[in-house]
Amino acid sequence: MSDSADAFLTRLAEQGVLSPEDLSELCASFELDGETLDGEQLAQQLEGLHKLTPFQADAIRAGEMNDLLIGNYVVLDLLGQGGMGHVYKARHRDMDRIVALKVLPKERVKSKSGLRRFQQEVKAAARLAHPNIVTAFDADVSSGVPYLVMEYVQGKDLQAMLSQTGPLSFSEAIDYVLQTARGLEYAHRVGVIHRDIKPANLLLDEHGVIRILDMGVAQLKHITNDTDDTEPHQITRDGAVIGTTDFMSPEQASTPRDADARSDIYSLGCTLYFLLTDSPLFDDDSAVDRIIAHRQRPAPALRDKRPDLPHDLEIVFARMVAKDPAHRYQSVGRLIDDLA
């Protein structure tokens, strides 16, 4: 076995990508085979032996082995990515626990607003412990890049699920919206407004439990820590639209920092419509047109597309998506009573 291959495997073991047992077994195997392999060839063989995940093998072939270790976590796969962060499946090197790791992109670290939003997400996640919300375990910084350690939940988000199944049944949709509402009721009670409720942020786990994801644009209310200088208006001052246009309340589109619990209720109403029809409330071509529609155009009736739905649900839905926040449910608790 060549020195370069030996050094390559040792480096993988030092980073926790390979266990000491794997290292010993592989070194003996390659010695018996008498092969001299470079790093790329080794990565290919290790992937074939299921000692590396495809994501890890690709990273090694791209010369990005160092990126597979974030703090004390070994990266296994990419779960998703967006402007607010990359989310990885990862394993703690010592505890052997599988987690979801949200990492602020390196280019966003240099952005004061991006860094503040990430810090806001960390603080929001720290407040929340509820069966219908993904749990945060820890937060830290690795090589100057902040990351958030979250519970890894095996499941599929509702938007991805609908892309395969189409509209949900009445009972399924109400069940999932009720579970989301219970998570939101708790979040609002401890002072967290989500501001981006949508099917893609609702994960259905293997036990049929809805878990709310992504506090990336959450807003904290009633912050009492005198040392905390991150106020809600600082997070929204850069002029960006906060949230997702297909599910955004009229007031949130114009003044995101003024969004409150009733904005989350509006977004949940849009989500209910999507789950039952597999289409957004307004499907105009441009984001600007959809924002205007949310502010000015009457919401379509649920029963126009789903005549099988009960009339009482139409009344609840109309109140959830009222244009004027004063005409909506004033608390998620009242909504839960009516949905139940």
Side-chain angles (χ1 to χ4, degrees), residues 167-168 272-283 299-309 314 317:
L168 300 182
L272 173 62
Y273 185 88
F274 186 90
L275 297 182
L276 289 168
T277 67
D278 197 18
S279 61
L281 206 59
F282 304 107
D283 57 1
L302 262 175
R303 296 182 51 168
D304 286 349
K305 286 195 173 184
R306 291 288 301 270
D308 59 307
L309 299 175
E314 192 76 74
F317 167 70

Side-chain angles (χ1 to χ4, degrees), residues 28-222:
S29 172
F30 284 120
E31 283 174 353
L32 289 172
D33 290 344
E35 294 189 59
T36 301
L37 304 172
D38 60 23
E40 184 169 337
Q41 291 171 317
L42 274 168
Q44 184 175 353
Q45 289 214 8
L46 292 173
E47 182 182 0
L49 294 168
H50 304 291
K51 299 299 183 181
L52 294 178
T53 67
F55 178 84
Q56 290 173 326
D58 287 344
I60 290 168
R61 283 191 284 265
E64 298 170 351
M65 186 191 298
N66 290 338
D67 292 342
L68 293 177
L69 186 64
I70 299 173
N72 212 21
Y73 294 89
V74 178
V75 174
L76 303 174
D77 199 3
L78 177 67
L79 297 176
Q81 63 184 36
M84 293 303 298
H86 295 177
V87 181
Y88 300 99
K89 182 180 180 181
R91 174 178 51 81
H92 193 282
R93 288 200 297 179
D94 300 321
M95 299 175 68
D96 208 31
R97 178 167 68 181
I98 301 298
V99 300
L101 214 62
K102 185 166 187 177
V103 182
L104 187 65
K106 293 178 181 178
E107 61 272 16
R108 297 288 289 174
V109 175
K110 299 175 183 179
S111 162
K112 289 184 178 180
S113 65
L115 188 57
R116 281 198 300 266
R117 284 184 184 171
F118 195 84
Q119 292 167 342
Q120 188 85 330
E121 176 173 9
V122 168
K123 291 177 181 179
R127 291 190 182 192
L128 302 171
H130 188 275
N132 294 119
I133 301 175
V134 170
T135 302
F137 295 137
D138 196 10
D140 209 337
V141 178
S142 176
S143 302
V145 177
Y147 62 91
L148 174 64
V149 185
M150 301 175 293
E151 171 187 17
Y152 174 71
V153 179
Q154 187 75 42
K156 182 174 291 186
D157 72 72
L158 295 187
Q159 182 162 320
M161 189 175 79
L162 257 70
S163 69
Q164 297 177 344
T165 67
L168 300 182
S169 69
F170 167 72
S171 59
E172 285 178 313
I174 295 302
D175 178 23
Y176 300 157
V177 169
L178 262 174
Q179 290 191 56
T180 305
R182 292 186 182 111
L184 285 175
E185 182 185 35
Y186 166 80
H188 295 167
R189 189 165 65 245
V190 298
V192 177
I193 309 300
H194 190 283
R195 299 199 300 178
D196 199 18
I197 291 296
K198 58 184 178 181
N201 279 340
L202 304 179
L203 182 67
L204 182 66
D205 74 15
E206 54 192 349
H207 304 293
V209 178
I210 289 292
R211 312 295 294 277
I212 301 174
L213 299 166
D214 198 357
M215 305 305 295
V217 296
Q219 185 175 38
L220 303 187
K221 302 287 187 181
H222 313 306

Side-chain angles (χ1 to χ4, degrees), residues 183-310:
L184 285 175
E185 182 185 35
Y186 166 80
H188 295 167
R189 189 165 65 245
V190 298
V192 177
I193 309 300
H194 190 283
R195 299 199 300 178
D196 199 18
I197 291 296
K198 58 184 178 181
N201 279 340
L202 304 179
L203 182 67
L204 182 66
D205 74 15
E206 54 192 349
H207 304 293
V209 178
I210 289 292
R211 312 295 294 277
I212 301 174
L213 299 166
D214 198 357
M215 305 305 295
V217 296
Q219 185 175 38
L220 303 187
K221 302 287 187 181
H222 313 306
I223 295 174
T224 57
N225 182 355
D226 292 338
T227 63
D228 185 355
D229 60 359
T230 305
E231 298 177 3
H233 73 272
Q234 292 178 293
I235 304 303
T236 58
R237 187 182 293 157
D238 60 7
V241 173
I242 302 299
T244 304
T245 53
D246 283 338
F247 303 91
M248 190 186 305
S249 69
E251 69 275 11
Q252 186 174 331
S254 56
T255 52
R257 64 176 173 265
D258 293 336
D260 59 20
R262 297 170 298 179
S263 295
D264 280 350
I265 290 172
Y266 184 95
S267 298
L268 188 57
C270 295
T271 297
L272 173 62
Y273 185 88
F274 186 90
L275 297 182
L276 289 168
T277 67
D278 197 18
S279 61
L281 206 59
F282 304 107
D283 57 1
D284 301 69
D285 290 337
S286 76
V288 172
D289 286 341
R290 292 196 298 275
I291 289 174
I292 293 172
H294 279 287
R295 296 179 66 178
Q296 299 178 0
R297 198 185 308 165
L302 262 175
R303 296 182 51 168
D304 286 349
K305 286 195 173 184
R306 291 288 301 270
D308 59 307
L309 299 175

